[in-house]
Amino acid sequence: MNLRYLRETISDHRGVVFLCLAICMNSWGMGAISPILPLFTDQEFGVNRTQVGLAVGLHGMSRLFIAVPAGYMTQRRGCRFILNLGTAVNLLGAAMVALSFNYYWLLGWRAISGLGSAMFTTGVSIYLREVATPESRARFLSLQELSILVGVTFGPYIGGIMGEHLGLRFPLYLQVLLILASLGLLYKFV
């Protein structure tokens, strides 16, 4: 990738650039909690390993149930609506997970967060396919993948450092702040 291409992408496709920043922030938040969520669930609630696995996996399981309905909602209400709604639902779920006071509360809000996350990712895919021309489609989708990978690559390291030095809840709070910032970007620039 050269600088000319990057400048052209930013000037011609500002919404795509800000969407990729929002994707990166969401992925960074998910990455930040990945090393601490099993430890947090175990130490905070004293549950067995199967229950820890359920707390971690429930986010992904709930995504299975909303992806297709999110596609239909996007067709009816538009990409902007589903991007903002999905991010807001994910934000609510992540905030409630960060404030969790018992295991079942954590499970329920992890599921809600997963629903929002699936709405967001469905909206992202549809948005990028709608704004891309046949010539730019591959580049836009590669930018989407790059945004995800940057977040999940650096997020666990940052989350691990925070969890070790500041406590296991701090990466959960970081995720909330990152999702909130991405919602602001989506609302204002995409």
Side-chain angles (χ1 to χ4, degrees):
M1 179 188 314
N2 61 35
L3 288 176
R4 190 178 123 249
Y5 166 71
L6 187 59
R7 277 194 304 270
E8 287 174 6
T9 300
I10 291 170
S11 64
D12 295 344
H13 305 286
R14 193 177 106 170
V16 172
V17 171
F18 284 107
L19 179 63
C20 287
L21 285 172
I23 294 166
C24 186
M25 285 190 263
N26 277 285
S27 297
W28 187 18
M30 283 298 299
I33 69 166
S34 64
I36 63 96
L37 187 62
L39 297 169
F40 173 79
T41 306
D42 179 41
Q43 292 176 18
E44 189 76 16
F45 306 120
V47 295
N48 64 42
R49 300 297 177 248
T50 303
Q51 291 171 308
V52 169
L54 182 60
V56 171
L58 195 57
H59 186 272
M61 283 188 268
S62 68
R63 292 176 64 144
L64 295 171
F65 298 104
I66 197 71
V68 171
Y72 289 121
M73 274 194 286
T74 304
Q75 284 181 321
R76 290 181 170 264
R77 302 291 307 268
C79 288
R80 185 177 169 99
F81 172 79
I82 201 70
L83 286 168
N84 288 324
L85 177 64
T87 305
V89 170
N90 192 10
L91 175 62
L92 175 65
M96 294 297 107
V97 166
L99 299 173
S100 60
F101 55 87
N102 73 40
Y103 175 72
Y104 297 104
W105 176 273
L106 175 81
L107 285 183
W109 288 109
R110 283 283 293 159
I112 301 279
S113 180
L115 295 174
S117 178
M119 285 189 268
F120 172 76
T121 56
T122 300
V124 164
S125 297
I126 294 168
Y127 176 86
L128 289 175
R129 282 170 181 81
E130 283 182 358
V131 300
T133 63
E135 295 80 28
S136 65
R137 187 169 294 127
R139 287 181 291 196
F140 284 4
L141 295 177
S142 66
L143 286 173
Q144 175 192 11
E145 186 66 20
L146 176 66
S147 301
I148 293 167
L149 292 174
V150 167
V152 298
T153 299
F154 296 108
Y157 180 68
I158 301 298
I161 289 172
M162 289 180 79
E164 185 172 338
H165 296 290
L166 301 172
L168 294 177
R169 278 196 195 263
F170 275 85
L172 299 171
Y173 297 137
L174 175 63
Q175 181 186 29
V176 171
L177 290 174
L178 289 166
I179 295 171
L180 181 62
S182 79
L183 182 59
L185 283 177
L186 292 170
Y187 184 75
K188 188 164 175 110
F189 298 112
V190 179

